Amino acid sequence: MGTLSRRKTARPVAARRLGVLLGALGLAAPLTLAMGGSAEAAPSCTTRTGPYQKEAEKFLGRPVDGRQSPADCKAIQDFQTAHRITPDIGFAGPITWGVMQEEITRRDPNAAGKCPVDKGRIACVDLSRQISWIQDGKALKFGPVPVRTGRDGYETRTGAKKIYWRSADHWSTIYKVRMPYAQFFDGGQAFHAIDGSVWSPPGSHGCVNMRTADAKTYWSMLGNGDDVFVYGRKPGT
């Protein structure tokens, strides 16, 4: 009986010892295979056509026919896995398309062509998306970066502007606040850094509030006479 008992426990003990050794080496997956198991497989690809199938196909460079194919599903699934979208089954739903739209904005914030491309260097402000960037013709030079524009009743005015005055260490005599790297483009409205968060509601008194690093970059890239174009409408105004 004693011999039989030792034989029965020998394999589990050896397995535990091997597990400790491989775990210390960061080899958990090989341990699974060594013990006769299998690595976790990727979820199966769906055959369903999602509501944003055509948009996803266009974004991923696939043939745009609006019908799910195994190759379409694999491309969508790979995108979902890379961006940690679950379930990553290759279904072109609203969450996946939303993340793709964020990618489009990051790659080309002026994809819709609403900011002029015939003025050379220009700072664009999209109130609807609360972002700003600098482009030169069609070439993106900096951004897009998040901004905080005017609250309800103090809206940032839309249209074509030009930077006309700059003050690196400006102090607002009206609101009694610091306005570092201020670049004025429309009356008292300016690009400038703020100490707080650009995501905090309800908004500015008309200026385009920026994070310090972003405002500093704008200061280094822009100057008096440079164009500014503001368009869209801030949500809630």
Side-chain angles (χ1 to χ4, degrees), residues 1-204:
M1 291 295 293
T3 303
L4 179 60
S5 176
R6 283 196 298 270
R7 288 176 180 174
K8 285 184 177 181
T9 59
R11 180 179 173 83
V13 169
R16 285 197 298 272
R17 288 175 179 171
L18 181 58
V20 171
L21 175 60
L22 293 177
L25 296 174
L27 300 176
L31 172 60
T32 303
L33 299 176
M35 293 298 101
S38 60
E40 184 178 349
S44 299
C45 240
T46 183
T47 58
R48 295 172 58 205
T49 296
Y52 295 94
Q53 186 73 30
K54 285 187 176 180
E55 291 86 346
E57 289 168 346
K58 183 177 180 181
F59 175 84
L60 295 169
R62 299 286 309 148
V64 181
D65 58 14
R67 297 190 301 272
Q68 181 80 305
S69 70
D72 289 339
C73 187
K74 182 63 168 59
I76 296 170
Q77 184 182 53
D78 288 346
F79 177 86
Q80 292 170 332
T81 301
H83 291 80
R84 299 182 180 179
I85 300 170
T86 55
D88 51 342
I89 58 174
F91 182 76
I95 294 177
T96 296
W97 174 234
V99 175
M100 287 178 175
Q101 285 181 302
E102 291 178 3
E103 287 284 322
I104 292 170
T105 295
R106 184 162 58 250
R107 295 175 187 177
D108 181 10
N110 200 34
K114 293 184 178 180
C115 193
V117 296
D118 59 351
K119 294 183 176 295
R121 180 151 297 192
I122 185 170
C124 308
V125 181
D126 183 343
L127 301 178
S128 301
R129 292 183 289 174
Q130 291 290 281
I131 59 173
S132 181
W133 66 94
I134 297 173
Q135 64 186 40
D136 195 336
K138 294 182 179 180
L140 179 64
K141 295 299 181 180
F142 179 71
V145 296
V147 296
R148 185 179 72 164
T149 62
R151 66 187 73 179
D152 191 28
Y154 294 89
E155 289 84 359
T156 304
R157 294 180 285 273
T158 59
K161 328 280 184 180
K162 284 185 181 291
I163 294 173
Y164 68 90
W165 187 58
R166 303 184 345 135
S167 177
D169 193 21
H170 191 70
W171 172 262
S172 171
T173 56
I174 299 175
Y175 299 109
K176 311 299 181 185
V177 294
R178 292 176 62 249
M179 297 171 57
Y181 305 108
Q183 301 188 82
F184 291 85
F185 55 80
D186 186 354
Q189 297 188 351
F191 295 112
H192 69 84
I194 59 172
D195 293 327
S197 170
V198 295
W199 291 281
S200 62
S204 72

